[in-house]
Amino acid sequence: MAEQFPSKPSQPHSTLGVDLGSKIAYGFAGFVLSGTLLLTPFAVTPFLRARLPYQHTPREKLKDGFEMIARNCDKRSLMALTQKLRFVDLGSGAGEATIMATQKGYQALGVEINPTLIIISELKKMRQFGLFTSSSMNCEFRSTNLLSLDYSKFDVLFMFGVKPLLQVIGPQLIKTDPNTLLLLYRFKLPREGRLISDEFFEEVERKGELTLYSRTSKME
Ligand SMILES: C[S@@+](CC[C@H](N)C(=O)[O-])C[C@H]1O[C@@H](n2cnc3c(N)ncnc32)[C@H](O)[C@@H]1O
């Protein structure tokens, strides 16, 4: 007669203790991960920023600048009714102006040559608008040289530019369409240099260190 092996004692089903233990572990890991993701922008931004020799336009000046733009957009009926105005900050730094432009309802782009500042800007954007929201879609940062951009794609240009850049940016500025607004903080368009003379940009408003220009209809 075939030998009967004693049947193996059945494994205990996973006990409540094991299930609960792994649930607690997963829950804790999830909590730590989401907490880290949420807190990273707050912790990293000041740390990165403190290490950069970088100047930004004060918030109050930016607000004044956007008011100047709004007044002159209305006057010149530049604002298309169905489309958002396209705004670019040339040398966007840590992204303040681009984020404010998005909050004001523009389709906003910040171009910046320093990749660390782009990381800071992206973190701020995430903190401000979250992910995959309509505002986050209207706010873009690009790590590139501002001289390589096609300026005809924008209705409003903003720049806290340094003098040497303003002196070489002329050929790009002239490619803008008539009525395009150019807001400069701190520095004005240099008078010397035929390419960005009064023929191409007329000053329409000034407030303190902010100067707003409008592109004339003069062709290149
Ligand atoms: C004075 S900060 C202004 C920052 C910001 N627009 C604001 O007003 O707060 C000028 C910025 O331009 C950037 N910049 C300088 N040359 C550039 C270039 N060729 N292309 C893109 N960004 C440039 C610098 O890295 C710096 O962050």
Side-chain angles (χ1 to χ4, degrees):
M1 208 172 118
E3 200 182 335
Q4 293 276 316
F5 287 101
S7 61
K8 239 175 138 188
S10 61
Q11 291 288 321
H13 290 298
S14 54
T15 63
L16 185 63
V18 173
D19 278 346
L20 194 63
S22 46
K23 273 181 191 164
I24 289 172
Y26 283 127
F28 183 69
F31 176 75
V32 170
L33 186 68
S34 47
T36 310
L37 283 176
L38 283 172
L39 292 177
T40 297
F42 294 93
V44 172
T45 310
F47 173 76
L48 289 176
R49 202 171 156 167
R51 297 172 163 253
L52 292 167
Y54 153 78
Q55 279 197 315
H56 69 105
T57 307
R59 205 174 159 71
E60 287 311 308
K61 304 283 176 199
L62 284 178
K63 280 189 191 160
D64 288 347
F66 281 110
E67 280 170 18
M68 288 162 74
I69 292 167
R71 275 194 290 278
N72 287 278
C73 278
D74 291 350
K75 235 191 273 172
R76 282 149 204 276
S77 35
L78 196 148
M79 181 96 70
L81 287 175
T82 51
Q83 267 184 316
K84 284 181 175 291
L85 275 187
R86 299 157 302 173
F87 170 96
V88 62
D89 182 2
L90 300 165
S92 52
E96 290 92 349
T98 311
I99 287 175
M100 194 183 280
T102 311
Q103 289 165 331
K104 301 268 177 203
Y106 296 89
Q107 176 77 46
L109 170 70
V111 290
E112 172 55 54
I113 206 157
N114 182 329
T116 309
L117 286 168
I118 289 288
I119 293 171
I120 294 176
S121 305
E122 290 289 358
L123 290 172
K124 276 189 179 171
K125 170 181 150 180
M126 193 168 88
R127 199 166 78 189
Q128 196 68 43
F129 303 130
L131 291 172
F132 311 118
T133 60
S134 61
S135 293
S136 76
M137 307 289 180
N138 287 325
C139 181
E140 186 193 341
F141 291 101
R142 230 179 265 170
S143 178
T144 188
N145 190 328
L146 62 87
L147 294 172
S148 66
L149 205 63
D150 177 358
Y151 290 22
S152 69
K153 300 249 184 295
F154 302 97
D155 306 295
V156 179
L157 300 102
F158 170 62
M159 194 176 182
F160 175 176
V162 286
K163 253 195 177 138
L165 266 180
L166 282 171
Q167 271 151 1
V168 293
I169 207 175
Q172 269 80 12
L173 286 180
I174 285 168
K175 298 213 172 74
T176 49
D177 290 334
N179 290 337
T180 298
L181 293 175
L182 169 67
L183 178 69
L184 293 185
Y185 176 61
R186 195 66 76 76
F187 297 97
K188 299 179 73 180
L189 278 182
R191 291 277 172 212
E192 73 278 8
R194 195 186 60 82
L195 284 179
I196 34 179
S197 69
D198 296 344
E199 295 171 85
F200 293 102
F201 282 92
E202 59 164 334
E203 188 178 313
V204 289
E205 198 175 328
R206 193 187 312 171
K207 185 172 183 191
E209 292 178 292
L210 288 162
T211 314
L212 186 67
Y213 300 87
S214 176
R215 176 75 168 88
T216 64
S217 50
K218 184 172 167 62
M219 300 303 284
E220 223 177 309

